Amino acid sequence: MPSNIEDYGIIGDGETVALVDRTGSLDWLCWPCFDSDACFAALLGDERNGHWRIAPSEKIERSSHQYRGDGLILETRFETAGGAVTLIDFMPPRGTVSDIVRLVRGDRGRVKMHMDMVIRFGFGKNAPWVRRTEDRALLAICGPDMLVLRTPVETHGENMTTVADFEVSAGQTIPFVMAYGASHFAVPPPIDPAKALRDTEAFWSEWCEKFDYDGPYRDLAMRSLVVLKAMIYAPSGGIVAAPTTSLPEKLGGARNWDYRFCWLRDATFTLLALMNSGYYDEASEWHDWLLRSVAGSPSDMQIMYGILGQRRLTEWEADWLPGYEGARPVRIGNAAHAQLQLDVYGELMDVFHQSREANLKLSEPTWALECELLEHLGRIWNETDSGIWELRGPGKHYVSSKVLVWVAFDRGVKSVEHFGFEAPVERWRELRDTIHCDVCEKGFDREQNTFVVSYGSKLLDASTLLIPSVGFLPASDPRVVGTLAAVERHLMPDGFVLRHDPRAVSDEQPPIEGAFLACTLWLADAYVLSGDIERAEMLLKRVAGVANDLGLLSEEYDTVARRMTGNFPQALTHIALVNTIHNLNAARKPAMQRARA
């Protein structure tokens, strides 16, 4: 069985990410890109589906792992009766090929080590042909994919597994370097592992020095930004929601989705987290990815795209994988890409407006695109949609969707007012006012004194916490105060915020999923806007307290089992964490930037 989600660290090279647990086992890697098939997929099955472990063969008395500095060089230390050894894992920033470097460094005494590796392409299904090259490297080929392993350690095959036994002494470092290449190209050339380590350390040191913040929780924010950087597909600037698929929202459940794509709903949060932290290059590249991806007819705009802006993200099931702790199905692709979600129009308009407010250079076609988007939105805003949480089934008039539709027209109006653009601004003002009245009349339950999930419903939804943050109503408005109080009563059974109202009737045993960590931080942001700094900081500390020992967070948290759930690490959670830290302590506060837009 794979380790618990919280036992993993990540390494990455700007185009993909690998998950390595505290036992020294690499259990997940989609190579060469985030959305490629996995060649190590034990995370969603077992060792037969692909893993690569390097660890002591003798009894381990103590173990720990940490990152070297602020970057993504993962160090796992093992102590045995015979001595101590550190496994150093990293991926050098992507050059012409992608490499994983694993260095076994002897720290004390002499330690017997064991390596076992199972390569299974096609998400843990397809065994490769394995042979030796002329320079004694191990070459594995399956269809279009090729891996080459170079190490001075003698390896051999055993029951469809590549194994090796060796010893490492204090002061000695033994390298294992694996490279990926397309099978129709030449075998990737060897690299110098020591130089690769120096170059990787220098890359992360230089990148982290750009962090423009020196207040409380700096280390927490820095780690989250490094996670975010690791999930940026460098060639395009697209940011994946997570590097994993089908890690369940509920342990043993069926709410298992592929998150290795780029969502528009996180656009403004992402932009502000990057810009407010000093990372304008990444913010600009993210903006450019957005513009390229949504180019075309506004009626064809999707809620998510592939890392290069691909639109067809066909969903299918890998039925040979048993799933993480038996949670099935394992889904590849995401059918939600075809849903109508009206909130994405507001996200796009807001991200463009915030970019201009921050003097981020925008390309010429941007305003023309925005006008086309609002023209289309003016025709469809009153339709039902699938909502921010992508619920499958009949559409509804979701309150959060309509609020973001209001944001779209509001930012259009503000852009005309602030920057002098030409547009049918009077029509936009009229639509903005109409939508505002519509939401307040049909989406607010006067009996409960709260905004609800959808028109006519009695149930709550955590997405309404965004109402003050996006500027729809001030945090002091009695309707917002009532909404926060209702969320506290019904969506916080264990101190963390649930996305969905647990009073809803469901065919699953409640709860249907863990507490949603980003929503808990959205409540903290609402507290900041209302002036309740003490409660906001309490929630920040609560979320930070469930991060693993490397500072990584998943999408959700099971408060009963006290375990992380959902895909890991989750970009939205780390983005929300950075923004809440800025909201509490920095001069540029993202909640106020949006609320005062």
Side-chain angles (χ1 to χ4, degrees), residues 3-20:
S3 295
N4 291 348
I5 295 172
E6 51 268 29
D7 290 329
Y8 286 93
I10 63 167
I11 55 175
D13 66 357
E15 297 188 28
T16 194
V17 160
L19 270 64
V20 183

Side-chain angles (χ1 to χ4, degrees), residues 309-345:
Q310 307 99 306
R311 299 186 175 214
R312 188 176 296 112
L313 310 176
T314 306
E315 183 177 304
W316 55 279
E317 296 178 6
D319 55 10
W320 60 87
L321 285 171
Y324 178 84
E325 297 190 10
R328 302 183 73 181
V330 171
R331 293 183 172 94
I332 312 300
N334 199 313
H337 76 274
Q339 289 182 348
L340 173 65
Q341 293 180 24
L342 294 171
D343 63 287
V344 298
Y345 293 92

Side-chain angles (χ1 to χ4, degrees), residues 43-110:
L43 181 68
L44 298 179
D46 57 34
E47 294 179 349
R48 293 169 296 180
N49 300 117
H51 80 289
W52 183 15
R53 179 182 291 109
I54 302 176
S57 56
E58 51 194 87
K59 181 181 179 182
I60 299 171
E61 297 181 344
R62 283 180 297 276
S63 67
S64 62
H65 60 180
Q66 64 180 15
Y67 283 114
R68 178 183 294 188
D70 289 327
L72 282 186
I73 300 173
L74 181 63
E75 299 184 333
T76 306
R77 180 176 170 85
F78 301 103
E79 296 186 39
T80 72
V85 64
T86 298
L87 174 64
I88 304 169
D89 288 318
F90 64 96
M91 297 181 74
R94 183 74 66 96
T96 55
V97 298
S98 182
D99 300 281
I100 292 177
V101 181
R102 315 194 76 182
L103 305 176
V104 184
R105 186 189 69 200
D107 298 327
R108 174 175 54 83
R110 189 171 182 83

Side-chain angles (χ1 to χ4, degrees), residues 201-491:
E201 193 165 16
F203 169 85
W204 283 111
S205 178
E206 181 180 351
W207 192 85
C208 293
E209 285 177 359
K210 298 178 184 178
F211 187 25
D212 187 19
Y213 174 74
D214 196 28
Y217 307 105
R218 185 187 186 283
D219 291 346
L220 194 62
M222 185 78 265
R223 177 53 57 200
S224 290
L225 286 163
V226 167
V227 170
L228 186 57
K229 174 66 171 176
M231 287 191 274
I232 296 175
Y233 184 65
S236 70
I239 303 174
V240 297
T244 57
T245 179
S246 298
L247 293 181
E249 295 174 356
K250 176 184 177 182
L251 296 172
R255 291 172 176 250
N256 317 320
W257 316 109
D258 194 344
Y259 272 24
R260 300 170 303 136
F261 308 113
C262 310
W263 267 255
L264 300 192
R265 74 176 180 216
D266 309 338
T268 309
F269 289 125
T270 304
L271 186 86
L272 292 175
L274 289 169
M275 291 195 305
N276 291 345
S277 301
Y279 292 101
Y280 282 87
D281 288 345
E282 285 78 6
S284 180
E285 290 163 3
W286 170 235
H287 166 270
D288 291 346
W289 176 89
L290 286 169
L291 191 61
R292 292 192 306 270
S293 297
V294 303
S297 171
S299 62
D300 295 331
M301 196 171 79
Q302 297 183 181
I303 66 165
M304 71 176 88
Y305 297 87
I307 54 178
L308 292 172
Q310 307 99 306
R311 299 186 175 214
R312 188 176 296 112
L313 310 176
T314 306
E315 183 177 304
W316 55 279
E317 296 178 6
D319 55 10
W320 60 87
L321 285 171
Y324 178 84
E325 297 190 10
R328 302 183 73 181
V330 171
R331 293 183 172 94
I332 312 300
N334 199 313
H337 76 274
Q339 289 182 348
L340 173 65
Q341 293 180 24
L342 294 171
D343 63 287
V344 298
Y345 293 92
E347 280 295 335
L348 269 183
M349 291 299 298
D350 202 10
V351 82
F352 293 145
H353 184 71
Q354 297 293 343
S355 297
R356 291 191 183 93
E357 291 286 349
N359 296 316
L360 196 68
K361 182 176 175 57
L362 304 186
S363 59
E364 282 296 324
T366 305
W367 181 246
L369 170 65
E370 292 172 72
C371 291
E372 288 187 31
L373 289 176
L374 291 185
E375 178 67 24
H376 177 66
L377 187 58
R379 294 191 293 267
I380 68 168
W381 74 268
N382 204 25
E383 294 182 10
T384 60
D385 76 330
S386 298
I388 189 174
W389 306 129
E390 300 164 10
L391 298 177
R392 302 189 179 193
K396 297 180 181 179
H397 292 287
Y398 287 102
V399 169
S400 61
S401 294
K402 295 295 193 281
V403 167
L404 266 294
V405 169
W406 175 89
V407 168
F409 288 105
D410 179 73
R411 301 318 189 249
V413 171
K414 294 293 197 308
S415 292
V416 171
E417 295 171 343
H418 293 190
F419 303 105
F421 295 126
E422 292 187 7
V425 67
E426 290 305 322
R427 169 167 163 74
W428 292 354
R429 288 192 181 105
E430 181 181 337
L431 280 168
R432 179 181 63 176
D433 294 344
T434 298
I435 295 162
H436 198 281
C437 292
D438 194 66
V439 172
C440 292
E441 178 185 345
K442 300 176 183 176
F444 184 78
D445 187 314
R446 289 170 176 78
E447 183 179 337
Q448 297 185 87
N449 191 34
T450 182
F451 284 97
V452 290
V453 58
S454 60
Y455 288 2
S457 176
K458 289 289 186 181
L459 300 174
L460 307 184
D461 186 273
S463 61
T464 58
L465 292 170
L466 296 175
I467 286 174
S469 295
V470 300
F472 184 83
L473 287 172
S476 58
D477 188 286
R479 290 164 291 187
V480 174
V481 174
T483 299
L484 299 189
V487 167
E488 293 164 359
R489 284 196 306 272
H490 299 295
L491 301 187

Side-chain angles (χ1 to χ4, degrees), residues 156-201:
H156 66 276
E158 189 177 286
N159 298 324
M160 302 293 288
T161 302
T162 300
V163 300
D165 291 289
F166 60 102
E167 293 186 355
V168 60
S169 301
Q172 183 183 16
T173 298
I174 299 176
F176 294 79
V177 181
M178 181 179 287
Y180 175 90
S183 60
H184 59 284
F185 288 148
V187 176
I191 63 171
D192 180 342
K195 182 179 184 300
L197 178 60
R198 292 193 299 270
D199 291 346
T200 303
E201 193 165 16

Side-chain angles (χ1 to χ4, degrees), residues 500-533:
H500 307 296
D501 197 323
R503 297 173 296 174
V505 176
S506 171
D507 58 0
E508 298 183 57
Q509 290 297 312
I512 60 173
E513 63 179 21
F516 205 80
L517 295 174
C519 291
T520 305
L521 293 164
W522 293 351
L523 178 57
D525 296 339
Y527 285 152
V528 170
L529 290 172
S530 67
D532 197 340
I533 304 302

